Amino acid sequence: MQASIIRSHDQYLSSNYNSKTIVWDARWPDLPGTKPVLIFLHGFKGFKDWGTFDRICDHLALQDLIVVRVNFSHNGATPENPTEISDSEAFGLNNFTIELDDLAMVMDQIQNGPHSIPRNLIEPGRFILMGHSRGGSTAILKAAEDPRVFLLITLSAVADFETRYSPDILREWEKNGVIYVENSRTGQQYPLYYQLYQNTIENRNRLYIPYAASKVSVPWLIVQGTGDQTVSVENARQLLEKNDHAKVFFIEGADHTFGGSHPYHLPQLPDDTVLMLDKVSSFIASGKQLK
């Protein structure tokens, strides 16, 4: 008989930046015993309630985990409108430093309270990080600096933020102070302020993804679709080259979201998402035995 899933209501934290709010929720199976905490991180133009993420996290919780989904404080979603990017100014002011500090606050709160997860279920100091796209990059950076992380899973992760923008775009960005990115689903134009690039360069000792990847000392699963048009398959190869602890799983023809979309109302998860979850579940099952 399959365990039932218990869900918390949304939890709120005040970010250290611009009076914005971090929102997170949790779910866990109705099973006794302590469980590691898996924190799921959305990517660029994403949010914790995007598309297939709810059902993905249900599946993961049934692996006897406490699964936490996080909305970074500057992802553009708001507590009042959690399923759309409506705060474009916050979106434009986001950067990796903010996301890492937001994540640290969530980890500290889970570890020390207060929150709605029963304390007797939390395995102390044992976090799994799982991030999609830019959330995968944030997970790499955090895994390299925080000893509480004991497993790392990245989905379609960006391998090097500094090289994602051409010299022409960088010159325009610096000159104007802003560039705009389009939401292909809604047609909205979101600002990206030059501070994002400046913050990455000024904090390169902390935020350079290739260096952080080389410093990850825990088991690491890299999952990448070969049909990804947003983050190319070369990113997975670059990450793998940087780390002896990493393993890669390519899904032939899979796109950036493994067949998912927002909103997602189909009764079954996409086939590529199922393949991804099967591999992730096996990786977690073997990794949970590590101390």
Side-chain angles (χ1 to χ4, degrees), residues 104-179:
M105 290 182 71
V106 172
M107 294 170 72
D108 290 346
Q109 187 182 32
I110 291 168
Q111 191 164 277
N112 303 315
H115 50 66
S116 59
I117 306 170
R119 299 290 306 164
N120 65 324
L121 293 183
I122 300 173
E123 195 168 322
R126 297 256 289 172
F127 289 93
I128 302 167
L129 294 185
M130 180 172 174
H132 174 249
S133 194
R134 198 172 88 174
S137 305
T138 301
I140 293 166
L141 297 172
K142 179 53 73 174
E145 71 177 20
D146 196 317
R148 294 174 294 181
V149 179
F150 79 100
L151 291 177
L152 173 64
I153 302 157
T154 57
L155 313 175
S156 312
V158 176
D160 188 347
F161 176 77
E162 294 181 16
T163 61
R164 281 190 70 77
Y165 299 95
S166 70
D168 287 345
I169 290 176
L170 287 174
R171 282 191 290 271
E172 177 191 351
W173 203 359
E174 182 176 18
K175 177 182 176 182
N176 299 326
V178 63
I179 57 176

Side-chain angles (χ1 to χ4, degrees), residues 43-47 50 74-78 81-94 134 165 172-173 177-194 196 262:
F44 186 58
K45 295 187 286 187
F47 35 85
W50 185 91
H74 287 64
N75 71 342
T78 65
N81 189 10
T83 60
E84 296 291 343
I85 297 176
S86 56
D87 188 346
S88 59
E89 184 70 7
F91 181 91
L93 292 171
N94 197 15
R134 198 172 88 174
Y165 299 95
E172 177 191 351
W173 203 359
V178 63
I179 57 176
Y180 291 88
V181 295
E182 183 176 351
N183 183 323
S184 59
R185 178 175 58 88
T186 66
Q188 291 171 279
Q189 296 287 328
Y190 303 138
L192 279 184
Y193 296 113
Y194 189 62
L196 171 61
H262 182 78

Side-chain angles (χ1 to χ4, degrees), residues 28 63 205 207 229 236 242 274 280:
W28 58 91
Q63 314 308 306
N205 60 330
L207 303 181
Q229 299 297 308
K242 292 293 181 182
V274 172
V280 167

Side-chain angles (χ1 to χ4, degrees), residues 130-281:
M130 180 172 174
H132 174 249
S133 194
R134 198 172 88 174
S137 305
T138 301
I140 293 166
L141 297 172
K142 179 53 73 174
E145 71 177 20
D146 196 317
R148 294 174 294 181
V149 179
F150 79 100
L151 291 177
L152 173 64
I153 302 157
T154 57
L155 313 175
S156 312
V158 176
D160 188 347
F161 176 77
E162 294 181 16
T163 61
R164 281 190 70 77
Y165 299 95
S166 70
D168 287 345
I169 290 176
L170 287 174
R171 282 191 290 271
E172 177 191 351
W173 203 359
E174 182 176 18
K175 177 182 176 182
N176 299 326
V178 63
I179 57 176
Y180 291 88
V181 295
E182 183 176 351
N183 183 323
S184 59
R185 178 175 58 88
T186 66
Q188 291 171 279
Q189 296 287 328
Y190 303 138
L192 279 184
Y193 296 113
Y194 189 62
Q195 64 81 32
L196 171 61
Y197 186 75
Q198 282 181 304
N199 175 262
T200 305
I201 299 303
E202 290 170 2
N203 296 280
R204 202 170 191 264
N205 60 330
R206 186 187 187 196
L207 303 181
Y208 187 50
I209 298 167
Y211 178 74
S214 73
K215 294 300 180 183
V216 171
S217 60
V218 300
W220 175 7
L221 176 64
I222 299 166
V223 184
Q224 176 71 46
T226 64
D228 191 336
Q229 299 297 308
T230 303
V231 176
S232 73
V233 70
E234 187 59 30
N235 285 262
R237 296 192 180 104
Q238 289 173 14
L239 292 172
L240 186 65
E241 288 174 0
K242 292 293 181 182
N243 194 282
D244 294 335
H245 303 280
K247 297 179 180 180
V248 69
F249 178 57
F250 292 113
I251 300 180
E252 189 65 33
D255 64 13
H256 188 59
T257 58
F258 305 95
S261 57
H262 182 78
Y264 190 84
H265 300 305
L266 297 177
Q268 302 294 330
L269 283 170
D271 290 345
D272 289 337
T273 296
V274 172
L275 285 173
M276 176 270 290
L277 283 172
D278 286 347
K279 189 67 175 182
V280 167
S281 297

